[in-house]
Amino acid sequence: MSAMSRAIRAFGGGAASRRNLSVAASKEAPALAAAAAVVAGRRGGRDPGEDGSRVQWVFLGCPGVGKGTYAGRLSRLLGVPHIATGDLVRDALASQDPLYKQLAEIVNHGKLVSDEIIINLLSKRLEEGEEKGELGFILDGFPRTIRQAEILEGVTDIDLVINLKLREEALLAKCIGRRKCSQCGGNFNVASIDIEGQNGGPRMYMPPLLPPPECESKLITRADDTEEVVKERLRVYHDLCEPVEDFYRARGKLLEFNLPGGIPESWPKLLQALNIEDPDNKRSAAA
């Protein structure tokens, strides 16, 4: 078991750990951070470097905002693993994990999965990554509570937290419009979002991401992508997760990024905000 996953599990388990979390995190943070640096390949600073191994980033944002999309793109661009706790939960559901019934009940009602379950799934994923020789990470969906943020701070040094923001009416339409191909696993969106600008601002347009013809008849909708469940997920996020934004804002690590529209418009602006160049974009511009 890796040093980081061992420490996460130690902090995450039991009432005694919960009561002593702040003290333990403060007391043991230097030693745990040093051990975690070996696992995560951290060399310090926000510059991702040529191989991306300096990256220890977190993506925050409401359900449906696009954390997975943008974190995944950065993962491929920087050569660093993208670890999405939402994917870990869905994989556990699909594999009939022993937690299946408990997870299904939570997810299908738009509730947050407990810290204990998330920590166990994340620890397992970190162990698998260590065995593969992975360096660095981009976390998506963790931390979602102050307690989780304290756990993470106690075991490693997060360089940057990217908080993606999008208007709520666009979020609702995006979530309801999500589709997945049951055969190839591709993710698509049938929603066409066209919203008037606020306070004289520009209009927001997000075109649909339609599937190729071979996937059209195989599209499925996630059980939690109903209007009622999505609204509940957004309410839960605002109540429980926004304090995490304040946690990182107070530490000077929060980058707030308002998505101006769809991927073609937002992606280059996000890269600009992160001071990252995309070679593919440069080649396209030169062509």
Side-chain angles (χ1 to χ4, degrees):
M1 186 186 297
S2 73
M4 185 187 295
S5 60
R6 228 180 5 250
I8 288 177
R9 281 187 173 170
F11 275 128
S17 294
R18 286 192 292 273
R19 285 195 298 270
N20 297 320
L21 175 62
S22 296
V23 175
S26 173
K27 183 178 180 181
E28 300 186 35
L32 290 170
V38 176
V39 177
R42 179 174 58 81
R43 294 189 303 230
R46 293 189 178 181
D47 179 5
E50 293 181 0
D51 59 1
S53 61
R54 297 184 183 185
V55 168
Q56 291 193 183
W57 291 354
V58 167
F59 264 82
L60 298 180
C62 289
V65 75
K67 296 187 297 294
T69 297
Y70 293 102
R73 283 185 165 227
L74 283 170
S75 167
R76 292 187 292 273
L77 180 61
L78 300 176
V80 64
H82 167 212
I83 302 176
T85 53
D87 288 344
L88 299 181
V89 169
R90 285 186 284 275
D91 289 345
L93 287 169
S95 65
Q96 298 292 304
D97 186 275
L99 294 171
Y100 171 78
K101 289 185 178 179
Q102 186 179 356
L103 281 171
E105 178 70 17
I106 294 169
V107 171
N108 292 340
H109 288 84
K111 306 297 183 182
L112 282 181
V113 179
S114 71
D115 287 353
E116 286 72 21
I117 293 175
I118 290 296
I119 287 164
N120 282 333
L121 293 174
L122 180 58
S123 296
K124 182 180 177 181
R125 172 62 182 82
L126 288 170
E127 291 163 24
E128 293 170 351
E130 183 190 20
E131 292 173 1
K132 297 176 184 176
E134 290 179 347
L135 296 175
F137 54 77
I138 297 176
L139 288 181
D140 161 12
F142 186 95
R144 286 190 173 184
T145 66
I146 290 293
R147 181 185 171 222
Q148 290 179 357
E150 290 174 335
I151 290 169
L152 193 59
E153 185 176 59
V155 298
T156 192
D157 183 17
I158 296 299
D159 302 310
L160 181 66
V161 179
I162 303 161
N163 185 29
L164 297 182
K165 306 182 81 172
L166 186 65
R167 291 169 58 179
E168 190 156 316
E169 58 262 53
L171 280 169
L172 185 60
K174 276 190 68 184
C175 287
I176 295 174
R178 290 193 292 199
R179 300 292 185 272
K180 185 172 184 176
C181 177
S182 60
Q183 182 171 320
C184 73
N187 292 302
F188 307 100
N189 202 300
V190 299
S192 180
I193 300 170
D194 191 356
I195 304 173
E196 291 282 353
Q198 292 179 318
N199 302 319
R203 194 178 193 88
M204 176 179 286
Y205 176 64
M206 304 178 77
L209 180 60
L210 299 176
E214 61 269 22
C215 296
E216 287 179 353
S217 62
K218 305 177 183 69
L219 296 184
I220 57 175
T221 303
R222 279 171 40 177
D224 57 336
D225 277 346
T226 65
E227 183 172 354
E228 181 181 2
V229 171
V230 171
K231 285 183 176 179
E232 174 64 10
R233 291 171 68 203
L234 292 175
R235 185 195 67 78
V236 169
Y237 180 86
H238 290 306
D239 288 348
L240 297 180
C241 301
E242 286 187 346
V244 178
E245 299 173 12
D246 296 332
F247 179 91
Y248 286 114
R249 186 180 291 112
R251 286 155 175 75
K253 295 184 177 182
L254 190 72
L255 171 65
E256 306 207 65
F257 184 78
N258 289 285
L259 293 165
I263 295 172
E265 184 178 0
S266 298
W267 174 241
K269 292 182 179 178
L270 177 60
L271 291 181
Q272 184 178 16
L274 294 170
N275 196 28
I276 295 174
E277 289 187 351
D278 184 349
D280 289 337
N281 281 354
K282 291 179 70 176
R283 281 194 291 270
S284 298

